[in-house]
Every structure is written in C-alpha cells, then in structure tokens.
C-alpha cells in the first residue's frame, strides 16, 4: 500500500534508491531494519523482495500519515468488507485526526515511520490482507469476499447464485500494479527474497 501510494503520488519512481545501513534516524530515535547489517542501496523492487524496512520508513516520511491512510482505505483496510459471516471487525487505519479525537494527542512523525511498515496503531484483519493481495493479483478490482457461492434446495436445484460483487477499484495505475506484482512475485521466487525458501 505504501509503495503504491508513493508511486501514484509521484514521490518515487521504481528506480528511486535509498541506502539501508540497518537503521533510520529520526530526531533522537533510531528505527531498525530487520536486516541488522542493512541492505545497502535499495530500489523499490529490491525493497519489496527483501522487505527492507528502511526503504519504507523513507516512503512513510515522504507520504505522511494521512496520505497513507487514504490509500489504505482505498485498498479496503480499516472497514468491514461485508463477508457473509457475523461480527466482522473493521480494523483501524489511523490518521492525525483519529489520534487527536481518540487520545487527545498530536500525531508524531515517529508514528508514521512505524505505520509505514504496517505497525503502530494499524489494525488489519487477515481477510483484509487477503483481499488487498487478491485485488493486486486481479489487476486492481476489490471484490466483496464470500464463503457461499450458491444456495441449493434439498433436491439439488440451484435456488440462488451469488455473483462477484465489485466494491471498488484500487487508485493505482495498471503499470504501477505490474511493478508491485513483479516485486511480490520476486519475494518468493528471487534469491534473497524473504519468501524464497517457499
């Protein structure tokens, strides 16, 4: 989501690189990458393939919390998806206003840094994440997830068929979806990818 937002907002190109030495300093705080020794110079493709936290910390700082939140919501995060099960949770995608209203405290840039790698106040469900990846895989359409494909009578006649229900379209160009999908494929299929062992 953060990569898509940064591409769409033209803050980066796929070739934009950031240097990862394993840490990202913001004021007197140090945010660490999971790779202690760092990843070196990393472009968007390598950042997704190798899950470079420092790359995404930089994008988060450039985007800001409210732009990240706007894209996250457009990806179906922070709201119930309407699956045919009771008590589905919507999760939480925080904004500056949310924190001010809820906690009566101003938003801090360090919170955006954590948010940019899916941590901090973010609350998303496994179903929401599956739906995000399904939308990326199908080219950008968000569908309402379903458990029931059709209803049948006791004698096997089809009573009702549930057709796919489109809920929206990702605010991401087809080219940027391809860039992200190639990198996601690489996370599992390229040497050095965080899922390569799979």
């Amino acid at each position: 989501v953060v990569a898509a937002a940064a591409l769409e907002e033209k803050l980066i190109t796929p070739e934009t690189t950031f240097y990862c030495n394993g840490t990202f300093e913001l004021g007197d705080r140090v945010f660490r990458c999971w790779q202690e020794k760092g990843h070196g110079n990393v472009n968007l493709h390598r950042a997704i393939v190798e899950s470079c936290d420092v790359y995404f910390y930089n994008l988060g700082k450039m985007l800001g919390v409210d732009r990240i939140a706007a894209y996250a919501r457009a990806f179906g995060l922070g709201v119930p998806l309407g699956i045919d099960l009771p008590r589905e949770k919507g999760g939480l995608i925080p904004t500056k206003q949310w924190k001010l209203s809820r906690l009566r405290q101003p938003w801090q840039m360090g919170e955006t840094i954590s948010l940019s790698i899916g941590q901090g106040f973010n609350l998303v469900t496994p179903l929401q994440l599956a739906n995000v990846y399904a939308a990326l895989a199908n080219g950008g359409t968000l569908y309402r997830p379903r458990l029931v494909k059709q209803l049948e009578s006791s004698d096997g006649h089809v009573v009702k068929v549930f057709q796919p229900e489109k809920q929206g379209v990702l605010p991401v160009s087809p080219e940027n979806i391809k860039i992200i999908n190639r990198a996601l494929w690489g996370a599992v299929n390229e040497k050095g990818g965080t899922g390569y062992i799979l």
Side-chain angles (χ1 to χ4, degrees):
V1 172
V2 172
L7 286 168
E8 286 301 310
E9 296 293 316
K10 299 187 180 355
L11 298 175
I12 62 164
T13 69
E15 294 77 33
T16 300
T17 61
F18 293 101
Y19 184 75
C20 171
N21 66 1
T23 62
F24 177 87
E25 293 182 22
L26 182 71
D28 60 356
R29 287 205 52 200
V30 176
F31 295 85
R32 304 204 175 279
C33 187
W34 73 269
Q35 181 67 265
E36 284 184 40
K37 67 181 193 290
H39 292 95
N41 280 318
V42 184
N43 65 15
L44 180 63
H45 184 83
R46 294 305 322 155
I48 292 174
V49 169
E50 297 178 16
S51 191
C52 177
D53 295 325
V54 169
Y55 189 92
F56 289 98
Y57 294 153
N58 279 284
L59 296 190
K61 184 177 178 187
M62 294 166 73
L63 283 162
V65 61
D66 290 337
R67 271 201 284 194
I68 293 171
Y71 276 88
R73 287 198 181 105
F75 271 74
L77 301 175
V79 294
L81 298 171
I83 192 168
D84 41 349
L85 285 172
R87 297 187 301 277
E88 180 192 3
K89 300 292 185 202
L92 171 66
I93 298 300
T95 62
K96 288 178 183 178
Q97 185 56 49
W98 168 83
K99 187 179 179 199
L100 205 53
S101 297
R102 176 92 166 127
L103 303 176
R104 291 176 175 58
Q105 296 174 351
W107 189 264
Q108 303 295 317
M109 179 56 81
E111 293 167 322
T112 303
I113 302 307
S114 295
L115 196 75
S116 67
I117 61 166
Q119 296 181 0
F121 291 114
N122 278 327
L123 294 174
V124 301
T125 68
L127 181 63
Q128 288 171 338
L129 285 179
N131 220 36
V132 164
Y133 287 105
L136 287 168
N138 75 33
T141 303
L142 281 166
Y143 289 100
R144 177 182 176 191
R146 285 201 169 277
L147 291 177
V148 178
K149 182 178 180 179
Q150 65 186 31
L151 300 177
E152 298 178 5
S153 63
S154 58
D155 60 357
H157 287 90
V158 176
V159 176
K160 182 173 182 174
V161 175
F162 294 99
Q163 298 298 328
E165 189 180 325
K166 184 175 172 180
Q167 289 189 310
V169 176
L170 300 181
V172 184
S173 72
E175 181 54 37
N176 286 337
I177 288 175
K178 284 179 191 169
I179 289 165
I180 292 167
N181 284 345
R182 277 193 296 269
L184 292 172
W185 181 90
V188 176
N189 293 284
E190 291 178 22
K191 200 165 182 112
T194 51
Y196 184 69
I197 196 168
L198 299 175

